[in-house]
Amino acid sequence: MITPKNPVSRRKFLTASVAMGAAGLAAPAIAQSFDPYTGQPLQGTAGGATPDAGMVQYDSGQDSRRNISSFRMQDWQPYFGTLANGAILVDLTSRALHFWSEDQSVYRLFPTSVPVSADLTRTGRTEIIKKVVGPSWAPTPEMKKRNPEWPDFVPPGPDNPLGTHALWLSWQYYRIHGTHDTRKIGRKSSNGCIGLYNEHIQQLYELTKIGTQVLLI
């Protein structure tokens, strides 16, 4: 478990974020704040009741551009023995999600957000066990322990961290979901889940079914 180097409360984070004003993601934060999981400097702006709204990891020692060079079409065969029920491959390195339909007639490639740190990252095989339109959100026990000031429940709506649609995975607490905070896509910015633009999760929601295979690498 990674011990936070410089944990911050949501109030402190939002205060620092507001200070950025119109500076946007391209400029360093005026009032410095830090990721509570990795200790990395954060950039962002205030964003309603969503607990981690605007929490975009910023590492000045790394190229913060999206990994376009590896964001390319993949072949499903190295990763799946069959396309029964369809298949999703999430590549954490390129921060991309690939979908293939069972009959191979549909292929989609979407940019994603990925977890902010190694201890929040899970890889391996799972599957979709539940699909929800307009999901509500509640912090996991570990999230609540790290951030006791976070709300116990956020209803569906523009402040919900899960966006407009969510796909439950067989791993407890793990989801593929939308986000209203579009700054997160293409970056290390989640507490473990995989995020997509709302228009993309809506497409993926329609394409998938209960039992669709999922592999995170």
Side-chain angles (χ1 to χ4, degrees):
M1 187 71 175
I2 294 177
T3 302
K5 298 177 184 177
N6 197 341
V8 294
S9 68
R10 171 172 167 75
R11 179 174 296 175
K12 289 180 181 177
F13 171 73
L14 291 181
T15 300
S17 299
V18 170
M20 278 190 65
L25 284 175
I30 296 172
Q32 187 64 71
S33 187
F34 294 86
D35 192 296
Y37 307 104
T38 66
Q40 292 290 350
L42 288 167
Q43 290 188 144
T45 56
T50 302
D52 56 354
M55 290 188 70
V56 177
Q57 188 181 40
Y58 175 74
D59 184 348
S60 59
Q62 300 293 325
D63 185 346
S64 62
R65 293 174 300 178
R66 293 168 188 173
N67 194 356
I68 298 173
S69 62
S70 58
F71 191 78
R72 61 183 60 154
M73 186 173 180
Q74 294 276 11
D75 183 5
W76 64 270
Q77 291 177 316
Y79 305 101
F80 301 96
T82 173
L83 287 179
N85 294 322
I88 291 172
L89 173 70
V90 178
D91 186 337
L92 299 172
T93 301
S94 62
R95 301 168 194 175
L97 182 150
H98 306 259
F99 170 81
W100 297 269
S101 64
E102 184 170 6
D103 63 3
Q104 301 186 49
S105 65
V106 178
Y107 171 77
R108 294 287 187 274
L109 173 59
F110 303 120
T112 73
S113 63
V114 297
V116 297
S117 59
D119 67 304
L120 294 171
T121 301
R122 184 164 182 173
T123 58
R125 296 186 185 277
T126 179
E127 64 182 71
I128 295 172
I129 62 169
K130 181 180 177 181
K131 299 173 60 176
V132 177
V133 177
S136 58
W137 178 88
T140 67
E142 283 299 314
M143 288 180 189
K144 194 67 175 178
K145 185 185 301 182
R146 290 190 296 261
N147 303 275
E149 75 281 6
W150 281 10
D152 294 326
F153 178 81
V154 179
D159 288 333
N160 193 288
L162 302 185
T164 61
H165 298 68
L167 304 174
W168 264 240
L169 303 181
S170 62
W171 300 333
Q172 188 178 27
Y173 304 131
Y174 283 82
R175 315 275 189 266
I176 299 173
H177 61 80
T179 179
H180 300 292
D181 189 349
T182 57
R183 296 163 297 178
K184 291 186 170 189
I185 303 303
R187 300 182 182 275
K188 293 181 178 180
S189 57
S190 84
N191 278 288
C193 293
I194 302 301
L196 282 73
Y197 290 117
N198 280 327
E199 57 267 34
H200 290 165
I201 190 62
Q202 183 174 358
Q203 294 177 40
L204 188 64
Y205 183 96
E206 297 298 330
L207 292 167
T208 56
K209 62 180 72 174
I210 303 302
T212 292
Q213 307 171 71
V214 179
L215 172 62
L216 277 72
I217 60 172

